[in-house]
Amino acid sequence: DTAVSQTPKYLVTQMGNDKSIKCEQNLGHDTMYWYKQDSKKFLKIMFSYNNKELIINETVPNRFSPKSPDKAHLNLHINSLELGDSAVYFCASTPTGMNTEAFFGQGTRLTVV
Amino acid sequence: RKEVEQDPGPFNVPEGATVAFNCTYSNSASQSFFWYRQDCRKEPKLLMSVYSSGNEDGRFTAQLNRASQYISLLIRDSKLSDSATYLCVVTPSYNFNKFYFGSGTKLNVKP
């Protein structure tokens, strides 16, 4: 029974296209995240939502738009995809509070050609 | 300057060896500290939290040095299954929802 699940696992698309990645968690956590892991394996936070409210919005191109319809779901829509968007995108969730563990989805490997 | 810096490695060690990784963080007001493990093409998973007094979990020992702003991970009696990338993670006191990840240290344990 997967705790944090994201779809699709792989996504290959052409430059200029628009695509979405979906994430769902069944842990009852209040906070969800999107992270980007580039080719150098550096995991960088993009967005975070707490109970459907945006709480972290790092310097990310506005082609990236997160949406949280409810606290168990956080989707990421990307417009006008560029080659530099190729990366692995991880969704994660945490319960409220300090020193909490982040649970990650299995990642979406996005390749823009 | 990055929030969290790690030596990327790789550290190549024989089975049974003891290996240690360090990680430095730039924000002296950082609040929470963790080590995560990431296997190749998999998601990161929590290995252990790091407490001020240091803590141990089986073969793994984590230490925090606030004065010098670094945390360490010691692995004793390395196993082949310890081969992975170890990520240092720090959260600031002003926002404990904000996890800053290091770029990871790769460990290869050889037979």
Side-chain angles (χ1 to χ4, degrees):
Chain A
D1 197 17
T2 307
V4 181
S5 60
Q6 49 183 113
T7 55
K9 192 172 178 180
Y10 299 98
L11 186 52
V12 181
T13 188
Q14 289 189 321
M15 280 176 59
N17 283 350
D18 303 338
K19 291 292 177 187
S20 291
I21 309 171
K22 296 188 175 183
C23 179
E24 175 181 3
Q25 54 96 4
N26 61 7
L27 297 166
H29 291 168
D30 293 321
T31 308
M32 295 184 73
Y33 309 77
W34 279 111
Y35 279 85
K36 177 180 179 181
Q37 189 168 41
D38 59 26
S39 56
K40 294 181 181 175
K41 307 300 182 189
F42 184 50
L43 253 172
K44 190 167 166 34
I45 190 168
M46 300 173 69
F47 303 104
S48 178
Y49 274 75
N50 181 271
N51 274 318
K52 303 192 295 177
E53 183 182 337
L54 183 66
I55 57 170
I56 296 173
N57 185 354
E58 292 294 278
T59 309
V60 175
N62 57 16
R63 298 182 294 105
F64 291 77
S65 50
K67 277 195 173 54
S68 182
D70 55 62
K71 76 172 195 175
H73 295 84
L74 179 61
N75 303 323
L76 183 66
H77 187 75
I78 316 170
N79 288 328
S80 303
L81 277 154
E82 300 177 357
L83 293 176
D85 297 332
S86 296
V88 181
Y89 292 84
F90 285 101
C91 176
S93 72
T94 59
T96 300
M98 293 171 56
N99 290 318
T100 59
E101 176 180 355
F103 290 82
F104 285 82
Q106 61 187 6
T108 296
R109 189 170 294 272
L110 171 65
T111 304
V112 182
V113 297
Chain B
R1 187 182 170 185
K2 287 182 183 165
E3 293 281 342
V4 182
E5 305 239 27
Q6 292 182 252
D7 179 347
F11 284 59
N12 298 309
V13 303
E15 267 187 293
T18 296
V19 62
F21 313 132
N22 282 342
C23 143
T24 57
Y25 58 94
S26 59
N27 186 346
S28 60
S30 295
Q31 182 68 40
S32 302
F33 308 89
F34 309 88
W35 284 101
Y36 276 69
R37 170 191 169 132
Q38 187 173 24
D39 292 297
C40 188
R41 301 179 82 87
K42 298 283 190 182
E43 72 274 23
K45 291 184 179 176
L46 179 67
L47 178 67
M48 59 196 301
S49 300
V50 186
Y51 302 119
S52 296
S53 53
N55 48 297
E56 193 172 300
D57 183 1
R59 298 181 293 109
F60 299 83
T61 301
Q63 298 274 359
L64 168 63
N65 185 320
R66 282 193 184 272
S68 302
Q69 293 180 213
Y70 76 82
I71 69 174
S72 63
L73 177 68
L74 181 79
I75 306 175
R76 289 181 298 279
D77 189 21
S78 299
K79 312 287 184 197
L80 295 176
S81 57
D82 293 335
S83 297
T85 296
Y86 291 84
L87 304 166
C88 173
V89 183
V90 169
T91 66
S93 56
Y94 59 84
N95 189 343
F96 52 78
N97 288 122
K98 207 164 186 176
F99 292 76
Y100 286 106
F101 282 79
S103 54
T105 298
K106 190 163 172 56
L107 173 65
N108 295 318
V109 181
K110 310 283 190 185

